[in-house]
Amino acid sequence: MALCTLHHFSPSLRKMMAMNIILPEQVNGRLPVYYLLHGLSDDYSAWQRRTSIERYAQHLPLIVIMPDGGRYWYCDGVDGPPYEIYIVKELLPYIDSVFPTRAARGGRAIGGLSMGGYGAIKLALKFPELFISANGHSGAYDIACLPERARDIPEYRCVFGDNPADGKDDVFAIAERMDRAQMPALRLDCGTDDFLIEANRRFHAHLNTLGIPHEYEEFPGAHTWDYWDTHVQDALAFHMRHLA
């Protein structure tokens, strides 16, 4: 297996962006890609530094891309930079042009933790033609009802404005109005001592009400790297069942 750090220029963000990439040691043909998103207080290096993702992926025929999402929730903010455009319109085509990927829906999965869990599920639901599967660990899904500690940050209002409920980035609303014909496979998990557990339970219940199939599990643990290091292994197994 090989690990590399790649820098490239984003026209939409007007800055250089970085990512860590895990590549199989031997590449035979084109490979599926797993986009793994970080949380609010992290950057592209966090998954590599804080978990054993490299070891967990070492025997898989899979490319793992860990991009930088800043603190902007992988959205095109109301008054902030366009990170959704960056991921969907720039990063995905760039990766497909540089690496031997399966450049189609069946060859792409996306996941993340906390802010990145929200971002992964949001992007998969908004762009189901791009991703075959998505997972979120400890996802911050209920953006209109997050705890005050999550809403009381400058970037929150820049991204979502004053009334995020039912808006373009509200995953509850996106799930209601999306075309079910291309529904990606979904997996959600959260620790029972996590401060976001109720947000995860509300989103799980909402998906059930809509009749949207998904996996949902709760495990012992909190909003910690010990928890995510353990359960990213479940996510890898989940995605490998769906990737073509």
Side-chain angles (χ1 to χ4, degrees):
M1 177 174 29
L3 171 69
C4 63
T5 300
L6 187 152
H7 301 263
H8 76 128
F9 183 77
S10 163
S12 63
L13 297 174
R14 294 179 292 180
K15 66 187 293 286
M16 292 298 294
M17 298 295 290
M19 68 194 83
N20 277 347
I21 302 170
I22 298 170
L23 294 163
E25 199 67 51
Q26 296 184 348
V27 177
N28 298 311
R30 297 195 169 270
L31 297 171
V33 181
Y34 180 33
Y35 291 88
L36 186 55
L37 309 182
H38 65 76
L40 180 67
S41 60
D42 301 316
D43 65 8
Y44 72 95
S45 69
W47 276 105
Q48 186 67 37
R49 290 184 297 104
R50 304 298 298 274
T51 76
S52 295
I53 182 65
E54 186 176 359
R55 181 163 55 86
Y56 301 148
Q58 65 181 333
H59 298 304
L60 299 178
L62 181 70
I63 299 172
V64 181
I65 307 290
M66 295 165 279
D68 203 308
R71 292 171 57 87
Y72 291 94
W73 298 75
Y74 306 96
C75 294
D76 295 342
V78 172
D79 185 25
Y83 272 87
E84 181 179 286
I85 286 177
Y86 166 65
I87 296 289
V88 172
K89 301 294 186 181
E90 295 175 9
L91 178 63
L92 267 63
Y94 179 76
I95 294 300
D96 288 338
S97 72
V98 173
F99 296 100
T101 67
R102 294 179 185 167
R105 178 181 190 255
R108 291 193 200 97
I110 189 167
L113 66 88
S114 195
M115 179 188 80
Y118 157 84
I121 297 298
K122 185 209 70 161
L123 291 170
L125 293 181
K126 285 187 79 170
F127 304 98
E129 72 279 7
L130 295 179
F131 301 101
I132 194 67
S133 56
N135 81 281
H137 306 293
S138 317
Y141 305 117
D142 198 346
I143 56 174
C145 299
L146 289 176
E148 186 173 346
R149 62 186 273 194
R151 289 182 282 118
D152 191 25
I153 58 172
E155 294 88 354
Y156 178 87
R157 185 155 293 161
C158 290
V159 172
F160 300 117
D162 294 323
N163 299 295
D166 298 321
K168 65 181 180 63
D169 295 309
D170 181 349
V171 292
F172 286 72
I174 295 168
E176 290 177 9
R177 59 182 178 245
M178 73 171 294
D179 181 1
R180 308 292 175 85
Q182 280 192 311
M183 179 65 66
L186 302 176
R187 176 179 171 81
L188 317 174
D189 68 79
C190 193
T192 52
D193 294 321
D194 196 303
F195 76 99
L196 290 174
I197 186 64
E198 293 304 326
N200 279 258
R201 289 169 177 168
R202 284 193 295 270
F203 189 52
H204 165 53
H206 186 65
L207 293 178
N208 279 340
T209 299
L210 296 174
I212 294 177
H214 63 286
E215 294 183 12
Y216 177 78
E217 291 193 85
E218 296 180 4
F219 300 98
H223 209 73
T224 67
W225 281 105
D226 285 343
Y227 178 88
W228 301 318
D229 178 62
T230 297
H231 296 290
V232 72
Q233 298 173 76
D234 303 329
L236 287 168
F238 166 76
H239 291 301
M240 293 308 295
R241 294 199 301 269
H242 296 281
L243 287 163

